[in-house]
Amino acid sequence: MRRFVVLGHRAITSADFKLDDLSGSTGRLDILLRCVNSAFFISHDIRRDVEITLMLLGEPRPPKTVRIVGSEVKYLNPDERSTAALIRNALLQRPSGEKRTSPGIYVSERSYSEVLSNISKESQMHYLKEDGEDVRQCAFGDDNTFVLGDDQDLTDEEEKTLMEYSPKKISLGPISYHADHCLTVVNNELDRRRNASLR
Ligand SMILES: C[S@@+](CC[C@H](N)C(=O)[O-])C[C@H]1O[C@@H](n2cnc3c(N)ncnc32)[C@H](O)[C@@H]1O
């Protein structure tokens, strides 16, 4: 299992946005949408062993947490607009607990610390950070969780919360990449290691 947790620091927490203006009036929800694309899509298929949790932390009613489960998801297409429509539909809900809003898509008002505490203790935690250990030197188990920021790094407080889970700090390379590109690189690294001879 691969799990990604992406912090959308200003991402809109209501359904009050236009699909024609995803990068303008949504608190950069477009970045999270591209992360969904990078998490799941391969040529002609969807990765079923991936789950992504989008933390929407912007106005007007933070937090909203959207979890997409690859093994269950339907109606997910590679274009940002249709994924935005699925998320907008999820944001129309006022869930108590976590609510399924379409196959494989769940919305809740769980906080970032609740999200982290709900992750299986079996999962190895990783903090994606430019100054971490080179990913190419890292060994991975079968269940991995990766936490990263959107166009902003984790705040000191978010970092402190994550540190309670003793994550391994991992660098994907010497320069700072877009969040969605980080997911692509992680997927590629783990794909390569799936072949036992490359472990
Ligand atoms: C676009 S970056 C955030 C802003 C960026 N740190 C900057 O200085 O402009 C988004 C997130 O991707 C992750 N990230 C970006 N480049 C990375 C790298 N080379 N190695 C590991 N994580 C990286 C970090 O979690 C970062 O918070």
Side-chain angles (χ1 to χ4, degrees):
M1 163 67 91
R2 297 175 196 177
R3 199 176 289 99
F4 297 100
V5 178
V6 190
L7 288 128
H9 292 100
R10 288 155 292 148
I12 191 164
T13 46
S14 81
D16 188 18
F17 62 85
K18 291 190 170 45
L19 297 178
D20 288 335
D21 189 25
L22 292 174
S23 56
S25 57
T26 64
R28 299 311 310 270
L29 183 66
D30 60 312
I31 295 172
L32 305 189
L33 298 169
R34 285 194 287 280
C35 286
V36 171
N37 193 317
S38 295
F40 291 110
F41 287 104
I42 49 178
S43 190
H44 308 298
D45 210 352
I46 283 182
R47 294 178 184 273
R48 296 292 169 190
D49 60 342
V50 169
E51 183 179 304
I52 190 168
T53 296
L54 307 175
M55 298 293 323
L56 279 56
L57 302 171
E59 295 298 324
R61 287 184 292 278
K64 296 276 190 210
T65 297
V66 177
R67 191 166 68 92
I68 307 179
V69 181
S71 59
E72 301 171 28
V73 76
K74 288 186 183 159
Y75 317 126
L76 191 64
N77 291 301
D79 65 295
E80 287 170 30
R81 194 184 159 91
S82 67
T83 306
L86 291 171
I87 289 177
R88 191 171 65 173
N89 182 45
L91 290 174
L92 284 170
Q93 310 292 325
R94 288 285 181 89
S96 66
E98 193 181 55
K99 179 170 183 184
R100 192 183 90 141
T101 57
S102 72
I105 302 193
Y106 298 84
V107 68
S108 72
E109 295 187 341
R110 285 180 184 159
S111 67
Y112 167 61
S113 57
E114 284 174 300
V115 165
L116 294 185
S117 69
N118 273 319
I119 292 171
S120 160
K121 302 287 172 272
E122 306 299 309
S123 190
Q124 198 181 342
M125 296 292 281
H126 305 279
Y127 176 19
L128 292 181
K129 191 76 181 145
E130 289 85 335
D131 63 355
E133 183 185 345
D134 186 341
V135 68
R136 302 232 161 142
Q137 308 305 323
C138 295
F140 292 97
D142 291 331
D143 192 323
N144 297 284
T145 299
F146 300 88
V147 181
L148 69 161
D150 50 357
D151 58 332
Q152 299 178 349
D153 289 328
L154 270 61
T155 63
D156 290 346
E157 201 176 326
E158 288 163 348
E159 193 172 278
K160 201 169 146 206
T161 303
L162 178 57
M163 287 306 163
E164 289 169 21
Y165 297 85
S166 308
K168 189 185 271 185
K169 220 186 203 189
I170 294 188
S171 169
L172 303 174
I175 58 176
S176 191
Y177 301 114
H178 285 187
D180 57 317
H181 296 168
C182 291
L183 269 64
T184 302
V185 173
V186 167
N187 270 332
N188 177 259
E189 287 290 336
L190 294 186
D191 291 345
R192 286 166 173 271
R193 284 168 173 77
R194 207 178 257 159
N195 180 336
S197 66
L198 293 176
R199 270 180 198 260

